[in-house]
Amino acid sequence: MEGVPGINTVPNPNYYDKSIVLDVKPLRSLKPVFPNGNQGPPFVGCPPFGPPSSSGPSPFYPFGSQQPPDLNQTQDTPPPTFVTPIQSYRPPTEVSNGPSSSSGTKKGVGRPKRNAVSIAPSSSSSGTKRGAGRPKGTGNTKKKEKTSLDIQVVKRDFDSGISAPEREDGNTDLVSSVLMRFDAVRRRLSQVEHGKAGTSKAAGVLMSNGVRTNMKKRVGTVPGIEVGDIFFSRIEMCLVGLHMQTMAGIDYITSKVGAEEEPLATSIVSSGRYDGEAQDPESLIYSGQGGNADKNGQASDQKLERGNLALEKSLRKGNGVRVIRGEEDPSSKTGKIYVYDGVYTISESWVEKGKNGCNTFKYKLVRVPNQPPAFGVWKAVHKWKEGLTPRANLILPDITSGVESKPVSLVNDVDDEKGPSYFTYISTLKHSKQTQPPTIGCSCHGSCAAGNLDCSCVRKNGGDLPYLNGVMLVSRRPMVYECGTTCPCHASCKNKVIQTGLKFRMEVFKTDTRGWGLRSWDPIRAGSFICEYAGEDKLRMEQEDDEFVFDTSRVYNSFKWNYEPALVDEDPSDEVPEVFNLPSPVLISAKSFGNVARFMNHSCSPNVMWQPVFVEGSGESVVHIAFFAIRHIPPMAELTYDYGVSLASEARDGSLLHGKRKCLCGSVKCRGSFG
C-alpha cells in the first residue's frame, strides 16, 4: 500500500477535556476529538522410547529393531537519544564537547571514558498515558514507567554505514543488519553489566549513532520486514520501523485533509493477555487505549482521540493496519515475543462497558487474505505441544530414542518416503583420536564467574564467560573454551553450554527439493545454542563421497556478527576477532553416527553459524563444532548453515573455489554451488 503523506505527529496529551464521558452508542454518532499539537519524535523512550542402553544408543525405527510407535498420541534530522551510562565502567561524567580520553588498556580493565551524557527525566513526547494502547487497559495499577528521557549526548566520530535515504527506507539486508548489530551490542552490555538494562542501553547507543532504518512512517507493509518475523522487544521494532511506540499499543500518522489534520493507524501491538482477546489467527478483537486507573484507582471512559481516533479513521478509509501479536516467551517467565502477523483491515467498531463500568472502544480487525501464516503457526505448534491436536503426517515421535532430553519428531508432508537413510543417533562427537594434548580443567567450585582470573577456563576466554546467562553466545571467538567433566564446577556451570543437549523442540521434515531438513517448534533468539555437529572424526582421505561430512578447511562466506567496540565504548584494538584459530582442520562425518545437525541443509543466506568449542579437561581434548543462531528464528522456519566450498586443485571458470553440488537454497545471494 502507498504511504500516507504528511508529518508524523503525536498530539499533546493535555489538550483534551478530561471531563468528557461517553455514552454507550455507535461510534458513528460520536463527535470526534481531533488531535492537536506539534508532532513528537517517532521513537518514544524505552523503558520415546526410553533411555539408551548402556552399550550406547541404538538405531531408531524404522531403521532399527524397535516396534512402530503409536501415532494416535523521516527525516535527515538525527533521532532523539537516551544513552545511559554503563555503570560497570564508571559514573556518568560531565557534558563536554571534546573527545574522550582512552587509556588503551585491555578489555574489562580501565576502559576508556564514555562520551559524557546528561540525563534528566521529562514528560512523554507521545502524549500517551501509562499503559495506553493496550488491548484492555482498565484496572492497571502497575508502577508508572518513564516514557522518555531528556538526554544530551556528545556525538562521536562514528560512521554507521547507513545513509540518510537508507534511514528513511530500508530493505531486507539493512533490516537484518540493524537487528544483528543491536543484539550484538545488547549481549555485550548485558555481559559486562550482568544483564542490567542491556536492551534499553543498546537501543540508546544505536539510535544516537544513526543505526536504524525505515524511520519514515507508512501505512501498509514495511520494506525488509516479512510476515512471521519475530522480535524480542518493542525497541527492536522501533529500530526497523515496524512499530515506533515503545509503550503505546497504537501507532499512527497524521496527514492534512483540508484545513484539519487526520490521523490514520499504521500498526497495533496486541498483548494477547487481556480478557476477551480473540485467539482466531484470522481476526482480532482489539480494545482501545486510555481509561486506565489513575493514582487514586479511578478508571475513566476511553475517549475518541489519538490512537482510538486513528483506528476509527482507518475503518472509514479502509486502509490496512499492521498487526503485531505478543506471545509469552517459552524460555522466560516474564519475557514477551512479538510476532508480525501481517496487514489487517478494520471491519467494525463499537463501544461497550468494561468490567469497571467505564466505556471501552472495541475494534474488529480481519486479516488480509493470501499472506503467509504467522500467528496461526504459533497456535498450531502450541496445540501440538499440549497434545490438543496431533501433528499431521507424523512418521516417528522421537528419532533420538530418548538420547536427547527433548524429542525430535520425524514428519513428511511432501511424499510417501518413510525416513532418511540408516544411521545411529548419538548426541555428541564420537572420536578416535585426540586433536590436542590432554589438559587440566579449572579448580572452581560451584559455578565459574566472569573476571575470576584464578579460573583457567575464564582466563582462556579472555576474562569473560563466553555465554550470556549460560544460554547464548555473546561473540564469535577464535576458540571458545568450555569447562569439561573433570572440572569440579557444578554441572549447571554457565560455561558448559554445548554439553547440556538440545534446548529446543526439533522436527526433521521432508523438504520439497532438498531432501530432509531441520526446524524448531520453538522460537530461537539470536546467539542461542542450537546443537553441536555430532559424528565421527575422520581423516581427509576417508571423506570422499560423504555428503554428511563437516569440513572446517572449506571456504565460507564471511560476515560481521560481533559487536562494534565503538558502540560499547571499548578500545577498537580490543575487538574480538571472528577468524577461527584451529590447530588443524576438523572433519566430522555424520553418515553412520550423527544427531539432528546432519539434517541441516545448506543456504547461501543462512540463519545458523558454527563456532569451534574446546572442552577443557575432559580427558578427550577435542574440538567440537557448535551451532548458534545468527538472528532470531521463528517457529517452523528451516534451520540452515553455510556448507562452504572446497578449494579446487585447479582453476575452474577462473575461480579457485569449487562446489561439488548444485545449490538449491533459493537465496537472492545464491552462489550456485557448495561442498
Side-chain angles (χ1 to χ4, degrees), residues 289-334:
Q289 66 182 27
N292 298 312
D294 58 21
K295 62 182 179 180
N296 298 318
Q298 296 295 317
S300 60
D301 291 331
Q302 292 183 351
K303 297 176 173 59
L304 190 60
E305 59 187 13
R306 297 180 288 142
N308 296 336
L309 180 58
L311 288 173
E312 175 64 17
K313 290 294 182 180
S314 292
L315 167 61
R316 297 180 182 180
K317 291 281 187 179
N319 68 275
V321 178
R322 299 186 297 273
V323 170
I324 301 102
R325 303 223 194 198
E327 286 291 302
E328 293 183 0
D329 184 350
S331 63
S332 171
K333 294 181 179 179
T334 58

Side-chain angles (χ1 to χ4, degrees), residues 329-386:
D329 184 350
S331 63
S332 171
K333 294 181 179 179
T334 58
K336 299 284 290 185
I337 300 177
Y338 299 94
V339 187
Y340 174 43
D341 201 31
V343 177
Y344 283 58
T345 56
I346 306 172
S347 63
E348 58 180 311
S349 62
W350 65 94
V351 176
E352 66 180 41
K353 291 286 185 182
K355 290 184 177 180
N356 57 11
C358 296
N359 291 337
T360 301
F361 292 110
K362 294 286 186 177
Y363 304 88
K364 182 176 182 180
L365 294 94
V366 179
R367 197 165 190 258
V368 174
N370 301 320
Q371 297 183 92
F375 179 66
V377 172
W378 284 70
K379 301 309 294 181
V381 170
H382 176 74
K383 291 178 180 179
W384 299 341
K385 288 182 178 180
E386 298 297 321

Side-chain angles (χ1 to χ4, degrees), residues 189-500:
L189 294 179
S190 297
Q191 180 188 45
V192 299
E193 294 209 333
H194 309 292
K196 297 178 181 178
T199 297
S200 58
K201 290 183 180 182
V205 168
L206 264 67
M207 297 190 74
S208 64
N209 288 280
V211 185
R212 63 181 305 187
T213 187
N214 289 323
M215 290 177 63
K216 181 175 70 178
K217 280 192 177 182
R218 70 201 76 211
V219 172
T221 58
V222 177
I225 300 179
E226 302 293 335
V227 175
D229 284 351
I230 61 175
F231 306 86
F232 282 78
S233 69
R234 289 194 178 209
I235 290 171
E236 291 180 321
M237 296 188 287
C238 295
L239 287 170
V240 296
L242 181 63
H243 184 83
M244 295 188 183
Q245 301 290 330
T246 59
M247 297 290 291
I250 308 173
D251 200 3
Y252 58 93
I253 59 175
T254 303
S255 59
K256 278 282 187 179
V257 179
E260 296 182 338
E261 292 182 340
E262 182 174 273
L264 287 178
T266 58
S267 59
I268 63 170
V269 176
S270 170
S271 69
R273 65 180 181 219
Y274 292 86
D275 295 338
E277 189 93 16
Q279 294 298 310
D280 181 359
E282 298 301 322
S283 66
L284 173 69
I285 305 298
Y286 189 81
S287 299
Q289 66 182 27
N292 298 312
D294 58 21
K295 62 182 179 180
N296 298 318
Q298 296 295 317
S300 60
D301 291 331
Q302 292 183 351
K303 297 176 173 59
L304 190 60
E305 59 187 13
R306 297 180 288 142
N308 296 336
L309 180 58
L311 288 173
E312 175 64 17
K313 290 294 182 180
S314 292
L315 167 61
R316 297 180 182 180
K317 291 281 187 179
N319 68 275
V321 178
R322 299 186 297 273
V323 170
I324 301 102
R325 303 223 194 198
E327 286 291 302
E328 293 183 0
D329 184 350
S331 63
S332 171
K333 294 181 179 179
T334 58
K336 299 284 290 185
I337 300 177
Y338 299 94
V339 187
Y340 174 43
D341 201 31
V343 177
Y344 283 58
T345 56
I346 306 172
S347 63
E348 58 180 311
S349 62
W350 65 94
V351 176
E352 66 180 41
K353 291 286 185 182
K355 290 184 177 180
N356 57 11
C358 296
N359 291 337
T360 301
F361 292 110
K362 294 286 186 177
Y363 304 88
K364 182 176 182 180
L365 294 94
V366 179
R367 197 165 190 258
V368 174
N370 301 320
Q371 297 183 92
F375 179 66
V377 172
W378 284 70
K379 301 309 294 181
V381 170
H382 176 74
K383 291 178 180 179
W384 299 341
K385 288 182 178 180
E386 298 297 321
L388 301 176
T389 59
R391 175 66 172 99
N393 300 310
L394 180 70
I395 298 173
L396 197 67
D398 183 16
I399 68 171
T400 79
S401 300
V403 172
E404 301 282 8
S405 60
K406 293 181 179 292
V408 178
S409 304
L410 181 66
V411 176
N412 189 344
D413 296 318
V414 176
D415 53 34
D416 296 329
E417 188 176 355
K418 296 302 181 183
S421 58
Y422 171 89
F423 78 100
T424 300
Y425 195 99
I426 58 174
S427 61
T428 189
L429 185 63
K430 178 182 174 68
H431 60 91
S432 58
K433 58 181 177 63
Q434 292 186 344
T435 57
Q436 288 207 19
T439 59
I440 299 175
C442 67
S443 58
C444 300
H445 293 274
S447 184
C448 298
N452 178 16
L453 298 184
D454 291 331
C455 174
S456 60
C457 299
V458 168
R459 284 201 309 271
K460 290 184 178 181
N461 285 307
D464 293 316
L465 289 176
Y467 305 112
L468 180 60
N469 301 323
V471 175
M472 61 187 68
L473 187 69
V474 174
S475 300
R476 290 199 296 176
R477 294 170 174 264
M479 182 71 73
V480 167
Y481 296 88
E482 281 202 4
C483 297
T485 55
T486 60
C487 294
C489 53
H490 197 273
S492 61
C493 174
K494 294 181 179 179
N495 196 34
K496 293 182 178 180
V497 170
I498 76 165
Q499 303 166 61
T500 56

Side-chain angles (χ1 to χ4, degrees), residues 88-101:
S88 63
Y89 295 162
R90 93 215 109 256
T93 57
E94 296 179 357
V95 174
S96 169
N97 291 326
S100 28
S101 61

